[in-house]
Amino acid sequence: MAAAGGDCDVIMAPAAAPVPHPEAPGLFGGEDEDAGTRREAESFKEQGNAFYAKKDYNEAYNYYTKAIDTWPSNASYYGNRAATLMMLGKFREALGDAQQSVRMDDSFVRGHLREGKCHLCLGNAMAASRCFQRVLELDHKNAQAQQELSNARTVLEYEKIAEADFEKRDFRKVVFCMDRALEFAPACHRFKILKAECLALLGRYPEAQSVASDILRIDATNADALYVRGLCLYYEDCIEKAVQFFVQALRMAPDHDKACVACRNAKALKAKKDEGNKAFKERNYQLAFDLYTEALAIDPNNRKTNAKLYCNRGTVNSKLRKLDEAIDDCTNAIRLDDTYIKAYLRRAQCYMDTEQFEEAVRDYEKVYQTEKTKEHKQLLKNAQLELKKSKRKDYYKILGVDKNASEDEIKKAYRKRALMHHPDRHSSASAEIQKEEEKKFKEVGEAFTILSDPKKKARYDSGQDLEEDGMNMGDFDANNIFKAFFGGPGGFSFEASGPGNFFFQFG
């Protein structure tokens, strides 16, 4: 930063003599008074130089101001005060003094350098270039002007690249370009705002908020900074607060196009979402689905709000028993916001309802890792139990009955399936078919043995291991169950009534 102001001008630069007023001191014998005034001004300047050398820039500023007030026609006094203001980071005020110094003396090299440096620090690289080129006209070997001119051209190049990348929505590259440009233009609000806007669009809201807040502390009426603050709140789904900032920005700058569009989108998004919520509460699920879909089309960039809209629509789809669509909506919500616990819970429940237990366990594990509550632990435990149960034989499916089937329904199902798969019925079939039917006959017997016994059925339904009851299904004899069910040996027989047709008789 020390190079920003440069050394103060200890030797007073020659200044163009102002045309004196007829009654001004010195015109008719007032030379002594003029000399005294100049000596007093020089004394103030020398004291300012001393404080500047000690890096006490506030005191240096005060004494340079006294020098200017005492003798306002000296270009070097303005130049020195400009250097001091630059060291204090007050580049806009410094620019005014630097410009005044070169208006008074166009050959004042340090004045042109400081004007150019102020322009560059404020982000006006084109104006800075003109100042440095003027220095080189006065002193073509001036190394500082050559370097600063190169810096100004670098900033212009970064501006050009950033503008193109913003149009291509390559916001990361814009942030990179603005960071590089701000190394040369640390006081440029325009660059900071563009960086902050891109940070917001990248979802880096705390960083964007910080940049905008820094600017608002300096300039509370900066419409661009107000817009970025609103944008961050908008993308964080704080829509009502966001609208307040957009309105404030438009009050400061009624033609602020971005704030106008964002404000319109924010209001439309909130209204449509509220309408969808109202329809859902009224159990008008199809209308709610349509409204959430319309809301999703308003602003694809609002990831957080759209994540909630997808999750809400997923809930609607689950109510409509469109479970696959519900899963897709929850997946979209998670893709937009991978910390959205509600979307994981909703998707996990849909996985449970569609018996995709491994996927359900995975989602519940994610939830429990994030929020270790008793409720989440129980949901995970239930999913793990269902997964374990799903890996065993499904005896209900084997018999073709519902899990809530009565004892009579289980018996009827066994009678039907046992007769369908009995080996005697398939005695004339190929060896491969006989083997397959024998396997099914045995499974039907297993299923009936478990589901017809209340205690075994209860253990099976709870997911417990049946082997703990001493049952070894590998030693199971399906024929004994069949004989017991149909009344023992000789109680029935299969007879052929034609090719491929069988019937059974009871003895």
Side-chain angles (χ1 to χ4, degrees):
M1 191 67 192
D7 296 332
C8 56
D9 303 304
V10 177
I11 300 174
M12 183 175 68
V19 177
H21 189 276
E23 298 179 3
L27 185 61
F28 300 104
E31 290 86 352
D32 290 343
E33 187 174 345
D34 277 354
T37 301
R38 291 189 186 211
R39 282 195 298 272
E40 184 180 13
E42 277 295 298
S43 174
F44 286 138
K45 187 196 80 168
E46 293 299 334
Q47 291 179 75
N49 290 348
F51 282 114
Y52 188 98
K54 295 176 184 177
K55 298 184 180 180
D56 187 346
Y57 301 117
N58 286 310
E59 277 302 305
Y61 172 85
N62 291 334
Y63 278 97
Y64 290 140
T65 300
K66 289 179 181 180
I68 290 169
D69 291 343
T70 304
W71 194 260
S73 59
N74 191 305
S76 72
Y77 297 169
Y78 285 99
N80 285 5
R81 191 169 71 174
T84 303
L85 286 166
M86 291 170 75
M87 299 309 292
L88 291 169
K90 299 179 178 180
F91 294 101
R92 200 163 296 282
E93 295 173 51
L95 177 62
D97 275 353
Q99 289 174 325
Q100 178 63 17
S101 73
V102 297
R103 275 196 294 269
M104 297 172 71
D105 180 3
D106 186 50
S107 65
F108 186 21
V109 169
R110 288 189 176 182
H112 287 295
L113 279 171
R114 287 170 186 151
E115 181 188 359
K117 189 66 176 176
C118 288
H119 278 308
L120 186 56
C121 287
L122 292 167
N124 191 344
M126 192 69 75
S129 297
R130 289 194 291 269
C131 293
F132 299 135
Q133 285 167 346
R134 175 58 182 152
V135 172
L136 292 172
E137 289 173 5
L138 296 169
D139 177 8
H140 70 278
K141 293 183 179 180
N142 191 296
Q144 185 181 353
Q146 291 171 351
Q147 182 59 55
E148 295 294 0
L149 182 58
S150 174
N151 293 343
R153 287 169 176 166
T154 299
V155 170
L156 287 170
E157 185 62 24
Y158 280 129
E159 281 191 78
K160 183 179 178 182
I161 295 170
E163 183 179 355
D165 287 330
F166 190 89
E167 290 298 317
K168 292 186 287 188
R169 302 186 65 81
D170 189 349
F171 302 125
R172 284 182 177 81
K173 196 168 179 183
V174 176
V175 170
F176 172 83
C177 287
M178 289 301 95
D179 279 337
R180 300 290 80 75
L182 284 164
E183 291 174 5
F184 302 105
C188 181
H189 287 180
R190 183 164 51 87
F191 292 169
K192 291 178 180 179
I193 287 295
L194 180 56
K195 174 185 174 181
E197 182 179 3
C198 290
L199 287 170
L201 292 168
L202 289 168
R204 294 160 62 179
Y205 307 120
E207 295 172 75
Q209 289 270 30
S210 177
V211 174
S213 296
D214 287 345
I215 293 172
L216 288 171
R217 274 192 288 272
I218 299 169
D219 178 10
T221 64
N222 189 298
D224 291 324
L226 290 167
Y227 159 71
V228 170
R229 283 290 307 276
L231 196 65
C232 291
L233 291 166
Y234 171 62
Y235 285 143
E236 289 185 290
D237 197 41
C238 300
I239 294 181
E240 289 186 21
K241 288 183 179 179
V243 168
Q244 293 174 9
F245 275 96
F246 294 144
V247 169
Q248 195 175 349
L250 289 168
R251 196 174 294 131
M252 298 299 118
D255 296 329
H256 199 294
D257 292 338
K258 290 182 178 179
C260 184
V261 172
C263 190
R264 184 169 62 245
N265 284 346
K267 289 179 178 179
L269 200 53
K270 183 180 184 304
K272 197 66 70 175
K273 182 182 176 185
D274 289 347
E275 288 177 37
N277 293 345
K278 182 174 181 290
F280 181 82
K281 289 177 182 177
E282 294 172 352
R283 299 187 178 184
N284 190 342
Y285 298 129
Q286 188 56 55
L287 177 59
F289 176 90
D290 294 338
L291 289 166
Y292 289 140
T293 301
E294 290 173 20
L296 282 165
I298 292 173
D299 184 3
N301 293 320
N302 195 324
R303 297 173 66 87
K304 206 152 217 176
T305 301
N306 287 346
K308 292 184 178 181
L309 289 169
Y310 271 119
C311 189
N312 287 359
R313 196 174 74 174
T315 303
V316 170
N317 274 323
S318 69
K319 292 290 185 182
L320 295 170
R321 304 312 297 166
K322 297 179 179 179
L323 298 178
D324 289 338
E325 289 89 337
I327 289 170
D328 288 342
D329 277 341
C330 292
T331 300
N332 283 327
I334 292 166
R335 189 177 295 118
L336 292 174
D337 181 4
D338 61 4
T339 66
Y340 193 13
I341 295 299
K342 188 176 179 182
Y344 283 104
L345 288 170
R346 170 59 55 196
R347 187 172 71 173
Q349 184 57 58
C350 290
Y351 281 140
M352 292 290 286
D353 292 342
T354 54
E355 298 186 0
Q356 299 180 67
F357 300 120
E358 288 187 8
E359 289 82 354
V361 167
R362 187 172 61 243
D363 277 356
Y364 282 133
E365 283 176 340
K366 171 72 175 179
V367 170
Y368 185 62
Q369 287 168 5
T370 306
E371 295 181 359
K372 287 182 166 54
T373 67
K374 288 183 179 179
E375 180 186 359
H376 295 160
K377 184 177 182 179
Q378 189 58 50
L379 288 169
L380 174 58
K381 187 176 179 181
N382 292 344
Q384 289 170 332
L385 177 61
E386 291 301 321
L387 175 60
K388 179 182 176 183
K389 287 161 63 175
S390 72
K391 292 183 180 297
R392 307 174 307 171
K393 290 180 180 178
D394 186 342
Y395 290 139
Y396 291 103
K397 187 174 181 180
I398 289 170
L399 288 183
V401 295
D402 185 79
K403 292 183 179 180
N404 298 316
S406 66
E407 185 178 348
D408 283 343
E409 287 172 330
I410 290 170
K411 286 181 178 180
K412 288 178 182 178
Y414 172 69
R415 177 188 293 272
K416 177 181 177 182
R417 298 288 172 123
L419 292 172
M420 183 186 301
H421 299 298
H422 193 283
D424 288 353
R425 184 173 184 177
H426 303 280
S427 58
S428 60
S430 67
E432 186 178 350
I433 291 177
Q434 286 185 28
K435 186 176 181 180
E436 181 64 26
E437 292 299 327
E438 186 177 353
K439 178 184 175 184
K440 291 180 179 178
F441 178 69
K442 183 177 180 180
E443 288 179 341
V444 168
E446 284 182 26
F448 180 69
T449 299
I450 300 304
L451 299 183
S452 62
D453 184 315
K455 289 184 179 180
K456 290 186 177 73
K457 182 176 183 295
R459 289 181 67 83
Y460 175 79
D461 289 342
S462 65
Q464 297 181 56
D465 292 327
L466 297 173
E467 284 75 9
E468 293 177 10
D469 272 351
M471 287 196 65
N472 185 346
M473 302 314 254
D475 298 333
F476 179 81
D477 190 340
N479 287 313
N480 289 338
I481 296 297
F482 187 86
K483 290 173 183 177
F485 186 87
F486 285 101
F492 73 96
S493 65
F494 285 96
E495 294 184 8
S497 61
N501 294 316
F502 294 86
F503 66 91
F504 67 91
Q505 293 182 330
F506 289 98

